[in-house]
Amino acid sequence: MVKIYSEDLTADEQKTIIAAWRRRCTIRDQGRKDLGDAIENRGSQITLSVLGQQAPLSAKESWDPLFAKRKS
């Protein structure tokens, strides 16, 4: 894969966003580490996977089927 374009966040922006996620959200940092990290820094975006990146699709779908938790 060859990167053609990327508008990455600065190191300070990345730290600020990650700190905000940790303050604001109840994320799955404790418990099942085998399901992967909850916060992923992709350089140009910070992704939150509340149940973990490797959580099964069925768990992800049942966590917030009406998007109520995500909207709050």
Side-chain angles (χ1 to χ4, degrees), residues 10-26:
T10 67
D12 284 340
E13 290 170 327
Q14 293 172 16
K15 288 178 191 174
T16 299
I17 293 166
I18 291 170
W21 273 125
R22 292 197 185 285
R23 280 193 313 271
R24 180 70 177 105
C25 299
T26 303

Side-chain angles (χ1 to χ4, degrees), residues 2-3 6 9 32-34 38 60 64 69:
V2 175
K3 186 187 289 190
S6 180
L9 300 164
R32 306 255 339 252
K33 286 294 189 184
D34 60 315
K60 292 178 181 182
D64 188 19
K69 294 176 186 174

